[in-house]
Amino acid sequence: MLLLSIDSSTRGCSVALYQDQVLLATNDLFTDRSSSAMLTILLDNLVRSTGHSLHDLDAVAVAKGPGSYTGLRVAVSTAKGLCFALEKPLLAANTLAGMAQQVYGFFSDDTWFCPMIDARRMEVYAAIYNAQGQEMEPTKAIILDETSFAETLDSHRLVFFGDGAAKCKPLLGAHPQAIFLDEEIRPSASTIGKLALAAYEAGDFEDLATFEPYYLKDFMSPKPKKSPLIP
């Protein structure tokens, strides 16, 4: 089974190709913006570099969010376009769950993990997972303060990471149960693909016609200024 996975939940974009359980190749491009042009070139070059073509794919997976409104829209539109054109199934995985996959195995089994994505000001998108990958607290938007995660920190060591964790560290960094990773953990298509492989085996496919990104909150655009030429 040949699976292409795509992620552009935050800055830049990431693609990966799996054959069965083996990661054949991955490529990440980190920039200040995501674009459909960059993503399509990146994935086409990645597939060709392994000696395959897009027609060889058995399924396409995408990081569904949360994350950047524009980045999610680009990734999901690209994935759905490929699936429609190639008549292949679509798989999706939570962006935060994919981030958490990157740090399992480096801590004791009783440790919990909190991936965070910056949502501007003092707000983050976050979820909590245990060392076995089970969701202990669902994905939600959180406005951070000194009481954030207090109940969880009373009972578990909690590892914070992702670009939203920098906002949390000044508030909770002194807590003996709070651990903040120095290494920046970004969303990655490689771990999204790993989660999607399990979904493929379970037959957990998305409905191409109705699937939408998991924006988590409504997109807010600035109100356009009234032109002085229009009364």
Side-chain angles (χ1 to χ4, degrees):
M1 194 272 286
L2 195 66
L3 171 71
L4 174 69
S5 59
I6 299 169
D7 188 315
S8 62
S9 302
T10 55
R11 291 175 295 168
C13 47
S14 173
V15 294
L17 190 67
Y18 277 87
Q19 187 159 38
D20 298 323
Q21 299 293 324
V22 178
L23 177 62
L24 296 182
T26 184
N27 204 346
D28 302 285
L29 178 63
F30 295 107
T31 63
D32 288 335
R33 58 187 299 181
S34 299
S35 78
S36 56
M38 288 192 300
L39 184 56
T40 52
I41 291 172
L42 201 66
L43 68 86
D44 187 55
N45 288 342
L46 181 79
V47 172
R48 291 178 183 275
S49 72
T50 63
H52 292 284
S53 75
L54 293 175
H55 292 281
D56 297 330
L57 297 175
D58 292 296
V60 178
V62 66
K64 65 180 181 180
S68 156
Y69 180 90
T70 301
L72 293 175
R73 185 178 60 188
V74 166
V76 169
S77 297
T78 301
K80 290 179 70 171
L82 285 170
C83 290
F84 273 120
L86 301 171
E87 298 183 341
K88 303 298 181 182
L90 175 67
L91 301 156
N94 186 295
T95 302
L96 295 170
M99 292 172 64
Q101 285 283 324
Q102 300 180 47
V103 298
Y104 296 148
F106 294 98
F107 298 89
S108 60
D109 289 344
D110 59 345
T111 305
W112 285 10
F113 303 87
C114 184
M116 289 181 163
I117 293 175
D118 189 352
R120 299 185 179 180
R121 298 185 178 88
M122 285 305 292
E123 191 170 21
V124 296
Y125 302 133
I128 295 178
Y129 302 89
N130 66 14
Q132 292 72 47
Q134 296 172 307
E135 186 182 75
M136 309 309 293
E137 293 288 342
T139 300
K140 55 188 173 182
I142 300 171
I143 298 176
L144 297 169
D145 61 29
E146 291 81 358
T147 65
S148 300
F149 308 101
E151 186 175 339
T152 302
L153 286 167
D154 284 343
S155 56
H156 291 85
R157 287 202 310 165
L158 190 56
V159 181
F160 297 94
F161 52 96
D163 64 4
K167 298 183 195 179
C168 192
K169 189 172 183 179
L171 300 170
L172 303 177
H175 196 290
Q177 296 268 67
I179 301 170
F180 288 84
L181 299 185
D182 293 329
E183 182 180 358
E184 184 175 359
I185 305 297
R186 302 183 177 98
S188 173
S190 61
T191 48
I192 291 298
K194 185 176 180 180
L195 292 172
L197 287 169
Y200 184 90
E201 293 298 325
D204 188 12
F205 304 115
E206 303 295 337
D207 186 320
L208 270 179
T210 62
F211 179 75
E212 293 183 352
Y214 181 33
Y215 293 123
L216 195 55
K217 64 180 183 178
D218 293 336
F219 174 67
M220 300 296 291
S221 61
K223 186 177 180 180
K225 294 182 180 179
K226 188 175 180 180
S227 170
L229 302 178
I230 300 175

